[in-house]
Amino acid sequence: MGKRSRLLPAILLLFAVSMDLSTPRTVSAAALYAAAVLAAAPLLSLRGTVLTGVSAFLLDWAMFRYFGYRRSAVAFSELGMVATVTVIAAFLNRLLYHRKMQLQSVRDIAAAVQRAVLPHPPERIGPLRFAARYEAAQTDAQIGGDLYAVVDTPFGVRCVIGDVRGKGMGAVRAVAVGIGTFREAALQEPSLTGLVERLERAVVLEAQQSGSLTELEGFVTGVLAEFPRRGNEVRLVNRGHPAPLLFLRDTVQYVEPGRPGLPLGLAVLGVDAECVDTVPFPEGASLLLYTDGLTEARDETGTFYDPVGRFTGHRYPGPDALLDALLADVVRHIGGQTTDDMALLAITHTPNNE
C-alpha cells in the first residue's frame, strides 16, 4: 500500500465532520465515521485502527454535543454503532495481518524452491559469461514450467533451456526432473546426442509416473547448447523449441535448426537421427536461449514481439546488460504484465583477460 492510501481514514473523518457541520441537524454522517474505521483495518496497524475508531467515536460524540443531542436515543445508537465497527475493524486487522504473514511464508518457500530448482548460473566459465532471468506471468509467482541450467563438464560447457507442457505443480515437478537429469547426464554423456537421449527417457518416464492418460500428454520443448573447450563454436540441438538468437556485432539472427526436431517425450513419433548443428561463436558474440513467452508477447494491437527487428544495430557489453535491455523493451511493448512465463539465458563469448 502506498503512503498516500494510509491517509484515507483521516480524510474520511475530516469529510464526516465537515458534512455534520455543513448540513441540517437531521442529516448524519454516521456512515462516513464507520467507513473511516473500516478503511483503517487493511491500511493501518492494529494501533492505528483502534486510534481511528476512538477518534471517530469522539468526533461523533462532539458533534452530538454541538447540536444538543446529548442523551438522545439517536446519539446512543450511533455511538454504539461506531464502537461496534471499531471492534470489528480491529478483528479484521488481525485477520488480514495473519493472512499477510501466511502469504509471505508461501512466497519465501516459493523463492527457496526457485533457488533450489533454478539456481542462477555461474557468472563466468572460461571465456563464457552467463546471465539468466525468469519472469512469471502470474503476479507473485516464483516458478512455473520453464527451465534452464548451465553445467561445466569435461566435454565443454553445456546449457539447456526448456518449456514444459502444462502448468501447476505437475509442470514444476517435470522441471525438477528435467533439471536433475540434465545436471547428471551432462557430466556423464560424452556426446550431445547421448545427453538428449537421457533427457528423452526421463521425460517419458515422468509422463508415465504422473498418471497421464497417454505418454504423449507430457512433453518438453527445449534447446541444448554445448560450447567445446577448444574452438569458437557452439553445438545446438533443438527439440521443437523457438530458435535461439545470435547477437554478432550489430546483427541479430535466429539460429534455425538444420532439421526440425520433435519435443522431448515425443521421439516415438519420429524416425530421423538427432540433428546437431554447429554454429560459429567468435569473441564478442552472444547467444540468447529463451522460451516462447518472449516471442509470443503481444502489444495492445496483437502484434507479436520481434527481438530481431528491435535489437538489430545495438550492442551490449555483456549478458546482464542484454537481458536488462530486453526485459525493459518487452515491458514497453506489451504495456504491462506478461501473459506467459518467460525464461531467458544469455551467453557471451569474451576474451579470457576481460
Side-chain angles (χ1 to χ4, degrees):
M1 295 289 182
K3 292 183 178 180
R4 292 184 179 181
S5 64
R6 298 176 182 273
L7 298 175
L8 179 60
I11 294 173
L12 289 173
L13 288 178
L14 290 175
F15 189 57
V17 172
S18 300
M19 181 177 175
D20 271 338
L21 294 175
S22 61
T23 57
R25 297 174 60 183
T26 56
V27 178
S28 173
L32 288 175
Y33 290 114
V37 180
L38 289 176
L43 297 175
L44 305 179
S45 64
L46 176 61
R47 181 180 180 183
T49 301
V50 173
L51 287 176
T52 302
V54 172
S55 299
F57 184 90
L58 293 176
L59 287 172
D60 198 17
W61 176 76
M63 290 299 101
F64 279 117
R65 289 184 60 86
Y66 178 80
F67 287 106
Y69 295 103
R70 297 188 177 184
R71 295 186 177 181
S72 68
V74 173
F76 285 123
S77 176
E78 188 170 314
L79 291 173
M81 181 269 292
V82 173
T84 302
V85 170
T86 299
V87 174
I88 294 174
F91 172 76
L92 291 176
N93 178 273
R94 289 296 85 191
L95 181 62
L96 291 172
Y97 173 79
H98 289 299
R99 291 289 177 86
K100 179 182 178 181
M101 292 298 100
Q102 289 176 349
L103 179 59
Q104 185 60 50
S105 177
V106 170
R107 289 175 178 171
D108 292 341
I109 293 172
V113 172
Q114 183 189 38
R115 289 192 296 269
V117 177
L118 294 179
H120 286 293
E123 293 184 3
R124 184 166 195 150
I125 301 176
L128 302 176
R129 293 171 57 192
F130 302 88
R133 302 286 189 275
Y134 188 94
E135 297 293 321
Q138 296 180 345
T139 304
D140 297 327
Q142 299 289 330
I143 189 171
D146 292 356
L147 61 93
Y148 59 80
V150 176
V151 179
D152 188 10
T153 79
F155 319 108
V157 178
R158 289 172 167 175
C159 311
V160 66
I161 196 161
D163 188 353
V164 177
R165 177 184 181 273
K167 301 291 183 182
M169 291 306 299
V172 175
R173 185 176 62 250
V175 167
V177 170
I179 293 294
T181 302
F182 173 78
R183 290 185 178 281
E184 178 184 8
L187 293 168
Q188 298 174 348
E189 295 292 340
S191 69
L192 202 54
T193 55
L195 173 56
V196 174
E197 290 172 0
R198 288 275 293 273
L199 287 171
E200 174 73 28
R201 291 195 296 270
V203 171
V204 172
L205 182 61
E206 169 60 23
Q208 293 173 341
Q209 294 181 340
S210 67
S212 299
L213 295 178
T214 69
E215 297 178 17
L216 303 183
E217 285 189 357
F219 63 84
V220 181
T221 68
V223 172
L224 288 88
E226 180 181 82
F227 300 87
R229 293 292 179 185
R230 296 180 180 180
N232 297 332
E233 62 185 27
V234 56
R235 301 181 188 122
L236 298 169
V237 173
N238 191 324
R239 295 295 296 268
H241 199 76
L245 286 167
L246 180 64
F247 294 74
L248 184 58
R249 302 184 185 88
D250 294 333
T251 65
V252 184
Q253 64 183 32
Y254 289 106
V255 184
E256 299 288 351
R259 184 175 63 249
L262 293 171
L264 294 166
L266 301 183
V268 66
L269 300 179
V271 295
D272 294 330
E274 205 68 62
C275 177
V276 180
D277 298 296
T278 301
V279 179
F281 193 61
E283 289 185 359
S286 292
L287 186 70
L288 176 66
L289 308 179
Y290 58 91
T291 55
D292 58 10
L294 175 66
T295 49
E296 292 184 1
R298 307 188 208 186
D299 63 12
E300 57 184 9
T301 66
T303 303
F304 289 104
Y305 185 75
D306 175 24
V308 172
R310 299 175 77 98
F311 277 80
T312 296
H314 299 275
R315 293 191 181 190
Y316 299 93
D320 280 297
L322 172 60
L323 294 189
D324 289 342
L326 182 65
L327 286 174
D329 195 49
V330 170
V331 171
R332 284 193 296 269
H333 178 76
I334 63 179
Q337 180 69 29
T338 58
T339 58
D340 193 10
D341 294 345
M342 179 168 56
L344 306 169
L345 177 62
I347 307 101
T348 299
H349 186 180
T350 61
N352 280 308
N353 57 1
E354 284 192 8

